[in-house]
Amino acid sequence: MDLFTQLIECARADKQRIVLPEGTEERTLKAADRALADGLADLFLLGNETAIRGLAEQWELKHIDKATIIDPETNPKKEEYAQLLTELRKSKGMTLEEARQKMLDPLYLGCMIIKTGAADGQLAGARNTTSNVLRPALQIIKTVPGITCVSGGMILVTEAKEYGENGLVVIGDVAVTPVPDVDQLAQIAVCTAKTAKSIAGIEPRVALLSFSTKGSAKHEVVDKVVEALSIAKQMDPDLSIDGELQADAALVPKVGATKAPGSPVAGKANVLIVPNLEVGNIAYKLVERLGHAIAVGPILQGIARPVNDLSRGCCVDDIYKMIAITANQAIAAKENK
C-alpha cells in the first residue's frame, strides 16, 4: 500500500472535521467535492452560501451539500466567538469591535471553530499567504505545550529505494523559521520526527545535518547543531537521533560507517533536519526537480491542532491529499492528548 492510499484509508476510517476557509476558491471547492464523495472528512466550507452553491452548480459538483457551509457575515455564533477572541487577546489590547471584525475573516473564523471544539483542523493557502494562514492559528489555537517554534516538514518520496525508508525521507524545516536558534532547531527535530511517525508511518531515525560529521570541521554553526542534539535528546529521550552529520553520512550506510562509526542513525536516517530554512527549501526543491521526487507538504508542525498552508500554485489533487494529511494529523493530535 502506498503512502497516499494509507493516509486516505486512515482518514476514511476515523473521519475528522476539517475547515476550508477559502470556500469560493475553485480548486478548493473541487477538491472538497472529491473529498466529500470519497468520505475523506466532514468539511466546513466558509464563505457566502449562495456563492458557494452557485459555483458548485456551475462546475457540476454533486457533493457540496454534504458540507457544512458557514457564512462569516451571517454566522449565528459570530458574537459569541468575538467575545471569546477578545478574552483570548485582551493582553494584547484587542477590543470587542476589533474581534468582531476578525470574525468576518474566514481564516480567523475557522480557527475559532477549532478552538471551541467544533472542528479538528484547517487547510488554507490557495488564495492566502503563509503569514495570513499562520497568524490566526498562533493567536487562537497556539502551539503545542513545550513548543514555541512552528515549522514545516516535507515528505519526499523518491525512486532511490536504498535510502531513507524505502526511498521515503522527511525533511524539516522547509517553510517557516528562517534561522532557528538552538532551542528552535531541537524543537524542529522533535516535531519533524512526530510528523514522520504520524503521517509517513515510519519509525523516525533523525539526522541533524551540517557540513561537518562528528567534528570534522569547526565552526559556530556546527556547534549549534551539536547543542541542538543535546536539547532534542532531553525533549524526547526515546528518539533515535544523532548529529552533526553530513548528508552522505546520514543516508549512505558505507559512508556512515566510515565517518560516524557506532552512530545509531548514520547511514540509515529517514528524517533529515537542516540547519536553516534556506538550506531546507533549496534542498527539497532540488530533489523534487532534479531527482523527480514527489514532494508532499509542507506539513505545518508545532500548532496545538493542525492548521496547514497550501502553496498558491497548488492543484486540486494537492488540496485533496492535504485534506487527508490534515485529517491524519488531527487523529494523531487526539491520540497524543
Side-chain angles (χ1 to χ4, degrees):
M1 184 186 301
D2 67 31
L3 173 63
F4 299 115
T5 302
Q6 179 182 318
L7 289 170
I8 289 165
E9 288 196 1
C10 287
R12 292 177 69 183
D14 186 2
K15 282 211 288 189
Q16 302 296 297
R17 302 161 299 173
I18 307 301
V19 182
L20 301 177
E22 297 162 325
T24 58
E25 198 278 325
E26 181 174 359
R27 294 159 296 171
T28 300
L29 206 51
K30 289 179 176 178
D33 189 67
R34 180 179 163 193
L36 291 164
D38 292 348
L40 197 59
D42 293 324
L43 298 181
F44 289 84
L45 292 170
L46 306 188
N48 180 272
E49 183 168 0
T50 301
I52 290 172
R53 295 194 184 281
L55 290 169
E57 183 176 353
Q58 177 184 332
W59 295 323
E60 299 182 346
L61 307 179
K62 306 299 184 185
H63 304 279
I64 296 303
D65 283 344
K66 297 177 184 177
T68 299
I69 300 174
I70 299 177
D71 184 342
E73 295 280 353
T74 60
N75 174 26
K77 293 189 175 182
K78 66 180 179 180
E79 184 63 22
E80 174 189 335
Y81 287 169
Q83 291 184 12
L84 177 55
L85 181 58
T86 304
E87 182 64 25
L88 288 171
R89 301 291 294 167
K90 66 180 180 182
S91 65
K92 301 297 183 181
M94 180 169 284
T95 66
L96 180 57
E97 189 52 44
E98 289 171 336
R100 285 172 176 151
Q101 288 301 310
K102 294 292 187 188
M103 285 302 98
L104 299 177
D105 181 337
L107 295 171
Y108 275 84
L109 173 56
C111 287
M112 191 59 73
I113 294 171
I114 295 168
K115 182 71 173 180
T116 56
D120 304 303
Q122 177 162 292
L123 176 63
R127 188 181 278 164
N128 285 277
T129 64
T130 298
S131 59
N132 284 343
V133 172
L134 274 178
R135 191 177 301 109
L138 294 176
Q139 291 180 4
I140 296 171
I141 302 172
K142 305 186 185 300
T143 55
V144 175
I147 299 294
T148 60
C149 171
V150 175
S151 58
M154 183 72 70
I155 298 173
L156 293 172
V157 183
T158 80
E159 290 301 317
K161 303 298 184 183
E162 66 271 31
Y163 301 129
E165 200 73 21
N166 196 31
L168 186 152
V169 296
V170 184
I171 183 171
D173 172 23
V174 301
V176 183
T177 305
V179 184
D181 61 26
V182 168
D183 286 327
Q184 291 172 328
L185 191 58
Q187 291 177 34
I188 290 166
V190 171
C191 288
T192 307
K194 289 179 178 177
T195 294
K197 193 166 188 174
S198 64
I199 303 303
I202 60 177
E203 195 59 40
R205 298 183 297 274
V206 183
L208 289 165
L209 299 184
S210 180
F211 60 83
S212 167
T213 296
K214 296 298 181 180
S216 65
K218 303 295 183 185
H219 194 277
E220 61 185 18
V221 298
V222 177
D223 295 339
K224 182 169 80 168
V225 173
V226 174
E227 191 176 346
L229 172 65
S230 177
I231 295 170
K233 285 180 174 179
Q234 293 173 31
M235 292 177 66
D236 187 349
D238 297 326
L239 182 61
S240 179
I241 185 171
D242 202 8
E244 85 284 10
L245 297 170
Q246 290 164 286
D248 56 351
L251 291 169
V252 184
K254 186 175 181 179
V255 178
T258 301
K259 291 187 173 183
S263 168
V265 168
K268 52 187 177 183
N270 53 23
V271 178
L272 306 176
I273 306 303
V274 296
N276 59 53
L277 177 57
E278 184 175 38
V279 173
N281 193 271
I282 292 169
Y284 97 75
K285 288 179 178 176
L286 285 175
V287 173
E288 180 184 23
R289 300 301 178 182
L290 298 181
H292 304 291
I294 298 170
V296 183
I299 301 162
L300 295 187
Q301 310 168 151
I303 305 172
R305 286 291 179 268
V307 173
N308 278 315
D309 175 43
L310 297 160
S311 164
R312 279 175 284 175
C314 63
C315 66
V316 172
D317 192 57
D318 293 333
I319 301 173
Y320 178 86
K321 287 174 179 175
M322 285 303 297
I323 292 171
I325 286 172
T326 306
N328 277 266
Q329 281 183 288
I331 294 167
K334 291 177 180 178
E335 290 174 349
N336 295 328
K337 190 174 180 181

